[in-house]
């Protein structure tokens, strides 16, 4: 029974990883597609490949998710807790994807794990949640907004005497690089979160200890699932990020992608913090747009996105808690 539950949780984790890929594909490529720097299919292929590579760049974020958020009990009961958390995250991903809202898959996962743990009276590491989730959740959009604005102002100043048509052509080529960097950062961040959950299931099921390194097959499986999901594309959210917040031009797209990529790399490699790629790129787009004029940003759309951000952790947690109660009754 426990082995079947371990396998079941791993399968559900990979399904979450796939939904994470198509839900967040827009994060990496919406700006480059909207400015016509890349065709949609070429952009998706590039993003899928860079997601796969990014997943192999480290495991610090995976360690945070697998060891620093909750401490479920060993055995079948703990596996039900982990599986219920994943169901909560997947449900919220699908709801926000349907409405075209770029919410955070990362925070959906963390909210789901916390919700199921609380429903099961399992241990939640509140100090880890505060330091690795709440503080980065507040800081990363602020830094993304500010850095996007700074890079955009620098571009305005450096290329102030360049003809707009020539500058746009040049930045379309540059966006190929910045979009690839953003996709690499997405793999570095989001694929690792699924690795952490799979590793947590292995520990709870008695097939690994917290001292063990994350197995290579877990890294490959998570990298493959998120890459396939990314290639499937998330067109609803892509339209929101690429056009509905602000009508981007190539220099703005390059500035937003560069700012977001920088924040993702710093958070993952320096702090092991599982920050939201969605929050980071969305806030960077807002920061870039605000340098033109504040009214250039469609703040009504931005407000809807921020509302989804605020609701993500409690909503995913509520679904996970209800899922735990159902699975606990059915399986235990």
């Amino acid at each position: 029974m426990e082995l079947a539950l371990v396998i079941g949780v791993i399968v559900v984790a990979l399904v979450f990883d796939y939904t994470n890929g198509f839900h967040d594909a827009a994060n990496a490529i919406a700006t480059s597609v909207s400015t016509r720097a890349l065709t949609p299919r070429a952009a998706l292929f590039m993003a899928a490949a860079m997601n796969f590579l990014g997943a192999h760049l480290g495991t610090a974020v995976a360690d945070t998710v697998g060891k620093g958020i909750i401490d479920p009990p060993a055995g079948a009961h703990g596996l039900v807790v982990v599986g219920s958390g994943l169901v909560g995250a997947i449900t919220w991903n699908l709801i926000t994807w349907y409405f075209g809202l770029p919410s955070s898959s990362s925070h959906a996962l963390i909210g789901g794990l916390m919700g199921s743990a609380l429903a099961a009276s399992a241990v939640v590491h509140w100090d880890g949640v505060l330091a690795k989730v709440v503080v980065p959740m507040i800081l990363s959009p602020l830094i993304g907004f500010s850095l996007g604005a700074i890079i955009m102002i620098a571009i305005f100043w450096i290329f102030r005497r360049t003809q707009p048509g020539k500058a746009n052509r040049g930045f379309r080529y540059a966006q190929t690089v910045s979009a690839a960097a953003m996709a690499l950062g997405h793999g570095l961040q989001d694929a690792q979160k699924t690795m952490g959950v799979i590793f947590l299931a292995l520990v709870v099921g008695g097939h690994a200890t917290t001292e063990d390194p994350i197995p290579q097959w877990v890294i490959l499986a998570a990298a493959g699932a998120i890459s396939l999901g990314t290639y499937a594309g998330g067109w609803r959210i892509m339209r929101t990020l690429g056009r509905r917040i602000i009508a981007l031009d190539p220099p703005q797209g390059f500035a937003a992608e560069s700012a977001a990529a920088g924040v993702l790399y710093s958070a993952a490699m320096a702090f092991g913090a599982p920050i939201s790629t969605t929050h980071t790129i969305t806030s960077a787009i807002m920061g870039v747009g605000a340098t033109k004029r504040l009214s250039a940003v469609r703040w009504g759309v931005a407000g809807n996105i921020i509302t989804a951000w605020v609701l993500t952790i409690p909503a995913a947690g509520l679904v996970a808690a209800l899922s735990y109660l159902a699975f606990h009754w059915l399986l235990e």
Side-chain angles (χ1 to χ4, degrees), residues 25-249:
N27 295 346
I29 66 171
T31 54
S32 54
V33 170
S34 68
T35 61
R36 296 181 178 145
L38 293 168
T39 65
R41 193 51 61 188
L44 286 172
F45 181 80
M46 178 275 295
M50 298 307 287
N51 267 233
F52 189 86
L53 290 175
H56 291 80
L57 295 183
T59 59
V61 172
D63 289 338
T64 297
V65 173
K67 305 172 186 178
I69 304 299
I70 67 170
D71 189 12
H77 186 57
L79 291 166
V80 169
V81 171
V82 177
S84 301
L86 287 164
V87 171
I90 292 169
T91 302
W92 187 248
N93 268 358
L94 293 175
I95 291 170
T96 51
W97 166 80
Y98 180 81
F99 289 104
L101 292 173
S103 70
S104 170
S105 297
S106 308
H107 293 156
L109 176 61
I110 290 165
L113 291 173
M114 291 169 60
S116 61
L118 289 172
S121 300
V123 175
V124 177
H125 297 293
W126 294 109
D127 54 342
V129 172
L130 178 64
K132 297 289 188 178
V133 179
V134 176
V135 172
M137 180 174 66
I138 296 169
L139 290 181
S140 59
L142 295 175
I143 295 171
F145 185 97
S146 303
L147 190 57
I150 290 168
I151 294 174
M152 194 66 235
I153 291 169
I155 289 173
F156 280 142
W157 187 81
I158 294 169
F159 297 94
R160 64 190 182 279
R161 294 189 177 89
T162 306
Q163 292 180 344
K166 185 177 180 181
N168 282 342
R169 284 193 298 274
F171 275 104
R172 279 197 179 95
Y173 292 116
Q175 265 198 280
T176 304
V177 177
S178 61
M182 178 69 202
L184 192 74
H186 182 252
L188 174 64
Q189 273 281 343
D190 284 35
Q192 285 197 49
K193 293 155 192 169
T194 301
M195 295 177 208
V197 175
I198 293 175
F199 185 71
L200 180 61
L202 293 175
V203 171
V204 171
H207 298 279
T209 70
T210 55
E211 304 302 319
D212 294 334
I214 293 177
Q216 187 63 35
W217 69 265
V218 173
I219 296 173
L220 287 170
I226 200 169
S227 297
L228 290 172
T230 299
Y231 191 68
W235 304 109
R236 293 172 184 266
I237 296 171
M238 206 174 296
R239 283 192 290 271
T240 301
L241 280 179
R243 285 293 173 190
R244 291 181 62 201
I245 298 174
I246 179 176
L248 292 165
D249 59 26

